[in-house]
Amino acid sequence: MSAVQRHAVVAGAGIGGLTAAVALHRHGWRVTVCERAAGPTAAGAGIVLAPNALRAFDTIGFDITRAAGRAVPAAMGLRRPDGRWLSRADTAALAARFGGPPLALHRSALAGALAAALPATAVRYGVAVTSVDDADGSPVVRTDAGDLGGADLVIAADGIHSPLRRQYFPDHPGLHHSGETAWRTVLPAAASSAGTATAETWGRGERFGVVPLADGRIYLYATAVVPAGHRPADVRAELLRRYGTWHDPIPALLERIDPAAVLQHDLYDLAAPLPRFHHGRLAWLGDAAHAMTPNLGQGGCQAVEDAAVLGHLLAGTDAADVPAALAAYSAARRARTDAIRVRARRAGRVAALSHPLAVAARDLAVRATPARAATRAMAALFDGFTLPSGMTTVSAGVATRW
């Protein structure tokens, strides 16, 4: 391998982009992360890191406990609006089966911990990547603050509306609207909310989720089947109208929300898979590569997997070998992520059913599903992360081989 330090430019400082930057940095790359936002933000929502994402973090030697500790809810499950449980899962059982329980934390805490694992000057806020010229095999990254030259690799982690995806795949059909919108917010910790369990409640064309975070705060999310662009004038009134008569503690939690801190986004996924996740020295990851609806809680987890695989495929490469490594990354990740994208879309359609008979049949099917069948369904998600054979990994500061 050449003694010349390789340079990677990452477009986007979301979870996937920052994880990729950390992975490459720990394998000797110089990284520059360009983020269009003016700086880190405390706004956002929670994220649940499933066991597959936690294992991916382990492979790059990133200690997630520094961001959030190991506190997790005691149980997870599905409920009806009247409070009746449709299914429940004990996180101790999940830990025994999958090597660790899910971990819920605020996205900003995770992003901050990842950024702190990089050199102080690595992340450039207020710099948006507008295009990449890879015509001659030496990428020129164009930003609204000027061109960046000398990149051996560009990672497009520029989100669901990825400009770089549109640039290089102009014939792709783009995004598909799921028919739903989502509201998200995080409440401060309160003694009255101690012991609140992670649960998602399914109604008729509406859902509500409650997720205690590792730092004591509570992440709330809600979805409803409405046309794209629907924006209520009074968010609190809209949420109370839809969910205010549902089971405890939902009404009390809604009374605590700050309307100004509620995020609303229509839910989209990719209408079709990308033909590949690479072009020359440019690679796509996360939502830019395989945007999916949040119904399986795997969007961020798959971005972390992408970053871990990409980092390890590039770990021992010379600059000349980057295109071949990116082709291997594309081959390793495309089938898994697309299968999860399709599965998430199907799960969303079931959860969003609104006809009374269809809802009754759905709820009965969920209640009748044996625990072992539910565990098998989770296994396809949680056990599916692997690194390509022969790649170097970093764990607890010790290089190993898979």
Side-chain angles (χ1 to χ4, degrees):
M1 185 175 70
S2 172
V4 177
Q5 189 177 37
R6 299 150 297 171
H7 179 214
V9 175
V10 181
I15 301 304
L18 288 171
T19 304
V22 170
L24 291 172
H25 169 64
R26 293 188 173 186
H27 285 298
W29 285 69
R30 179 169 66 91
V31 293
T32 301
V33 182
C34 297
E35 169 54 46
R36 68 174 59 250
T41 175
I47 183 171
V48 178
L49 298 173
N52 54 305
L54 297 175
R55 286 199 301 275
F57 276 129
D58 284 345
T59 67
I60 67 171
F62 179 72
D63 184 3
I64 193 67
T65 62
R66 294 187 179 183
R70 294 300 301 178
V72 294
M76 301 183 294
L78 291 175
R79 304 179 78 173
R80 302 193 323 182
D82 63 6
R84 186 174 183 178
W85 287 95
L86 298 173
S87 68
R88 302 186 76 173
D90 188 337
T91 53
L94 291 178
R97 169 61 182 80
F98 299 112
L103 175 63
L105 67 160
H106 199 289
R107 283 180 178 268
S108 65
L110 178 55
L114 288 165
L118 294 170
T121 59
V123 183
R124 301 184 184 181
Y125 291 103
V127 177
V129 173
T130 56
S131 65
V132 173
D133 181 0
D134 193 33
D136 63 357
S138 180
V140 175
V141 180
R142 308 197 186 282
T143 79
D144 55 5
D147 293 352
L148 299 176
D152 299 299
L153 164 70
V154 179
I155 298 176
D158 51 347
I160 191 169
H161 299 288
S162 169
L164 296 181
R165 184 181 66 229
R166 292 195 299 269
Q167 179 187 353
Y168 279 88
F169 301 100
D171 296 327
H172 187 272
L175 299 176
H176 161 264
H177 182 231
S178 70
E180 293 183 279
T181 196
W183 296 273
R184 298 175 297 160
T185 193
V186 174
L187 300 181
S192 61
S193 61
T196 299
T198 293
E200 185 169 288
T201 302
W202 287 3
R204 293 172 51 186
E206 297 172 331
R207 286 175 283 169
F208 197 96
V210 179
V211 182
L213 302 181
D215 62 5
R217 289 183 288 178
I218 300 177
Y219 170 40
L220 305 180
Y221 63 88
T223 70
V225 176
V226 297
H230 170 79
R231 295 294 183 271
D234 186 331
V235 173
R236 185 195 298 275
E238 175 83 353
L239 295 177
L240 285 170
R241 179 182 69 82
R242 291 181 177 275
Y243 312 102
T245 61
W246 288 21
H247 64 80
D248 292 334
I250 292 173
L253 294 172
L254 287 174
E255 291 294 341
R256 293 177 53 199
I257 67 171
D258 174 6
V262 176
L263 304 176
Q264 182 178 356
H265 296 96
D266 297 327
L267 298 181
Y268 291 87
D269 63 3
L270 279 193
L274 290 183
R276 60 190 182 280
F277 289 175
H278 72 289
H279 178 94
R281 295 176 177 274
L282 175 60
W284 285 261
L285 63 73
D287 282 347
H290 45 70
M292 59 187 69
T293 54
N295 302 297
L296 299 178
Q298 280 288 310
C301 296
Q302 290 305 304
V304 173
E305 286 191 17
D306 289 346
V309 171
L310 184 62
H312 290 294
L313 283 168
L314 289 161
T317 59
D318 287 316
D321 298 326
V322 167
L326 298 190
Y329 158 74
S330 188
R333 294 298 299 158
R334 187 173 174 273
R336 172 164 165 79
T337 56
D338 192 57
I340 294 174
R341 178 189 67 86
V342 172
R343 184 174 165 185
R345 180 185 290 188
R346 291 172 177 168
R349 288 172 176 166
V350 172
L353 290 171
S354 59
H355 190 283
L357 292 179
V359 169
R362 175 198 68 191
D363 292 355
L364 179 61
V366 172
R367 291 182 62 199
T369 300
R372 62 182 180 276
T375 300
R376 284 197 302 269
M378 286 187 284
L381 299 176
F382 300 164
D383 288 341
F385 168 68
T386 58
L387 291 176
S389 61
M391 293 300 102
T392 301
T393 70
V394 178
S395 181
V398 180
T400 58
R401 302 289 289 183
W402 283 53

